[in-house]
Amino acid sequence: MTADNIRTKKLPVVADLAIAVVALVLAGAIVFGTGIGNWVLALVLGLVFYLAGLNIVSGRIEGRRAARNRMWRAAIYVACLLAIIPLASVAWTLISKGSSRLDGNFFNSSMNNIGARDPNGGAYHAIIGTLEQVGIATILAVPLGVLGAIYIVEYGRGKLTATIRFFVDVMTGVPSIVVGLFVLSFWVLIVSKWFNNGVPRFSGFAAALALTVLMLPTIVRSTEEMLRLVPGPLREGSYALGVPKWKTITRIVLPTALPGIVTGVMLSIARAAGETAPVLLVAGGADAINFDAFSGNQSSLALYVYQQAGNASKYAPARAWTAALTLVAIVLILTIAAKLLARRNRLSR
C-alpha cells in the first residue's frame, strides 16, 4: 500500500464553481425565457439545479457516499447563506435609511410643538420612555422568572409543577394586545384610581407591567432549560460536601447556567423593547418628555416608530427609520454588555 494507492479522487474547486455557474445560467434562462418569475425564483431554481448537478458530477468522480456528503454539506452552506441574507438586508436598510437623522437634534429634542412642516423633532422622549419601561419590566420579570424556573427544576414535583409549566407555555403565545387590554382593565381603570383621586391614569409603569407579563414566559422557559443542562454530578458533589441545597443553587447551579440565562433574558428584553400595542393602550403615548414613569402619558421607541411611519409629514419617515435604528442599537449594546458580564462565571475564575 502506497500513498498513491490509498488516495481517492476529489472534485476540483473549479468544477464546483462551474456547476454553480451552469445551474444559475440554466435557471435564469428558464425563468426569464418563459417569464414565469423574477430573480428570486431564478436563484431558488438555480440552487436546486446546483445541488442536483453537484450530486451527479461528484457521484461520477468521488463515488456515491462522497457525493451525498458533498451535496448535504453544500445544502447546509446554502441554508446558512439564505438565513444571513435577510438579516444583512435588514441591517443594511436600517443603516442606510436611518443614518439621515443621526444628529444632535434627534437625540436631544422631543416631538412637542413640532408641526408637519417642521424638519426638526427627535426621539429623546421615546428613548427615555423605552429605557424606563424596559428597565422596570426587567427588574420585575427577571427575579420572578428565574425563581420560577428554579422552583420547577429544583423543587417542583407532581401536578403543581406540570400546571405551572403548562400556563407558562400558554402565556408564551398570548398576543401582546391582549396583555395590554388586561393591564388596561385591571391597573389603569381600577388600581390607578386609588392613587389619583378616583381618576384613571396612564403611565409608563402600566406599560412596564404589560411588558413584564410578556417577558416572564421567555425567561422562565429559557432559564428552566439552562438549569436542566447543568450536570447532575456538580449538584451531587456539592451535596456530598455538606453544602445546603440553596447554597448549591446560588453558588454552583446558577453560575454554571448564567450565560444561557443571560441569553434568555436578553431575548425577552428585545421582545419587550419592540412592543407597540401595550404602550399605546396603557401609556397613551406623548410628544413631550416625561421622566416620571408613574404619572402621565409616556412614549417609547416602538410606539414612536409606529406613529411616525403613519404620519403624513414628509419628514416623518426619516424619523421613523432613525428611531428603528436607535432601538436596534440599544438592544445590541445591552446584549453585548450582558454577554461580556456573563462571559466568565464563578466556576471558571
Side-chain angles (χ1 to χ4, degrees), residues 147-157 161 165 220 223-229 235 245 253:
L147 291 176
I150 291 175
Y151 173 78
I152 292 174
V153 176
E154 303 292 339
Y155 295 97
R157 296 292 185 274
T161 303
R165 188 180 293 111
V220 172
T223 304
E224 179 187 354
E225 295 303 323
M226 291 302 105
L227 293 179
R228 293 188 185 279
L229 291 177
R235 297 181 176 88
K245 188 169 186 176
V253 178

Side-chain angles (χ1 to χ4, degrees), residues 51 85 162 165 172 272 334 349:
L51 293 176
I85 288 176
R165 188 180 293 111
T172 304
L334 292 176
R349 290 177 181 172

Side-chain angles (χ1 to χ4, degrees), residues 18-30 42-47 49-50:
I19 295 172
V21 172
V22 172
L24 289 176
V25 171
L26 180 60
I30 295 175
L43 179 61
V44 173
L45 192 61
L47 292 176
F49 288 163
Y50 167 70

Side-chain angles (χ1 to χ4, degrees), residues 16-84:
D16 200 336
L17 295 176
I19 295 172
V21 172
V22 172
L24 289 176
V25 171
L26 180 60
I30 295 175
V31 172
F32 296 114
T34 58
I36 59 176
N38 54 14
W39 64 271
V40 177
L41 180 60
L43 179 61
V44 173
L45 192 61
L47 292 176
V48 174
F49 288 163
Y50 167 70
L51 293 176
L54 184 65
N55 186 32
I56 296 173
V57 176
S58 178
R60 294 292 183 88
I61 298 177
E62 298 176 320
R64 294 180 60 185
R65 172 181 285 183
R68 286 196 299 268
N69 178 69
R70 182 180 288 275
M71 185 190 69
W72 285 112
R73 184 174 60 185
I76 292 172
Y77 290 156
V78 169
C80 180
L81 180 62
L82 292 178
I84 292 175

Side-chain angles (χ1 to χ4, degrees), residues 128-144 187 203-213 215 219 269 272 291-295 298:
I128 295 299
T130 294
L131 294 179
E132 289 185 353
Q133 294 163 20
V134 175
I136 294 173
T138 303
I139 293 173
L140 295 176
V142 172
L144 291 176
W187 182 267
S203 64
F205 180 73
L209 290 179
L211 298 181
T212 300
V213 176
M215 292 173 63
I219 296 175
I269 290 176
F291 288 98
D292 188 359
F294 298 91
S295 177
Q298 200 174 49

